[in-house]
Amino acid sequence: MSKRWYVVHTYSGYEKSVKTDLEHRIETMGMQDRIFDIEIPMESVTEIKEGGKRETKDVKIFPGYVLVRMEMDDDAWTCVRNTPGVTGFLGANGKPSPLSRDEYNKMMRKSKKGEAPKRMSVDLEVGTPVRVTSGPLADFNGMVSEVNAESGKVKVILQIFGRDTPVELGFDQIVVAL
């Protein structure tokens, strides 16, 4: 048998307790030779709060799902399936389907370099006054004209040589002006 990753469906919000309970069950049932890893797909999100404060926290990518690396047999299936908070395995016709390496990498948001990309969440809105903190335009004040949270960029209208000039900046290059 081979070690494969399987997707386990849980009650949303119970992923950490399922992981803890399953680790305890593996130990007490002596399943360490068949169930090897348990992961909750997470990513780091940097939020920019008012005043330009940055707060980084881990958030679940797929709430309600946990990945389990195991050698699938009846005993291992029973151990995982009967863990409190587990509602079942992902698969067709009630049969657990293992993930391919690519599927696992996508779920865990792994790039080819092995680094998880970071996402940003921001409380900026169009019309918010900001100050540029780095780069050649540092210390310029402007007004947000466009926010693109997906790319982590913002368009700011700056007064340069007496003219309104749109400039694209990263979230890490600005702070909300008070």
Side-chain angles (χ1 to χ4, degrees):
M1 287 207 190
S2 64
K3 301 173 187 173
R4 303 290 302 267
W5 284 101
Y6 293 88
V7 179
V8 176
H9 190 263
T10 69
Y11 295 119
S12 189
Y14 286 81
E15 300 86 0
K16 286 183 182 169
S17 64
V18 165
K19 179 178 178 177
T20 304
D21 291 347
L22 184 52
E23 287 169 342
H24 182 68
R25 285 176 61 86
I26 291 166
E27 195 174 310
T28 58
M29 295 174 75
M31 300 294 287
Q32 298 92 331
D33 60 334
R34 287 180 264 182
I35 303 173
F36 307 98
D37 292 312
I38 305 158
E39 293 199 29
I40 301 169
M42 307 278 270
E43 71 178 337
S44 292
V45 175
T46 301
E47 291 183 347
I48 300 176
K49 302 286 187 183
E50 281 194 40
K53 291 181 186 170
R54 285 170 175 67
E55 189 177 289
T56 302
K57 61 182 178 181
D58 289 332
V59 296
K60 295 176 199 115
I61 300 171
F62 300 105
Y65 293 95
V66 174
L67 301 181
V68 179
R69 186 168 169 242
M70 59 192 284
E71 289 179 359
M72 183 60 74
D73 65 15
D74 290 343
D75 292 337
W77 180 88
T78 302
C79 177
V80 174
R81 180 64 185 93
N82 292 332
T83 301
V86 170
T87 60
F89 281 89
L90 209 59
N93 303 324
K95 186 177 186 297
S97 298
L99 294 174
S100 69
R101 175 53 69 185
D102 283 346
E103 290 169 327
Y104 170 78
N105 287 342
K106 283 179 188 167
M107 284 193 80
M108 295 305 291
R109 300 270 168 98
K110 303 262 181 183
S111 66
K112 295 205 188 320
K113 295 174 191 151
E115 295 177 18
K118 290 193 175 183
R119 192 167 51 101
M120 293 193 104
S121 171
V122 67
D123 289 341
L124 290 175
E125 295 177 354
V126 173
T128 303
V130 294
R131 184 172 52 80
V132 181
T133 58
S134 65
L137 302 171
D139 296 327
F140 273 81
N141 290 321
M143 198 73 76
V144 174
S145 66
E146 196 177 305
V147 178
N148 187 345
E150 292 299 311
S151 66
K153 303 249 184 221
V154 64
K155 268 197 184 151
V156 178
I157 303 295
L158 301 176
Q159 280 275 323
I160 300 176
F161 301 119
R163 302 177 105 163
D164 284 346
T165 308
V167 178
E168 188 172 83
L169 300 166
F171 289 156
D172 59 336
Q173 292 181 283
I174 60 167
V175 294
V176 175
L178 301 176

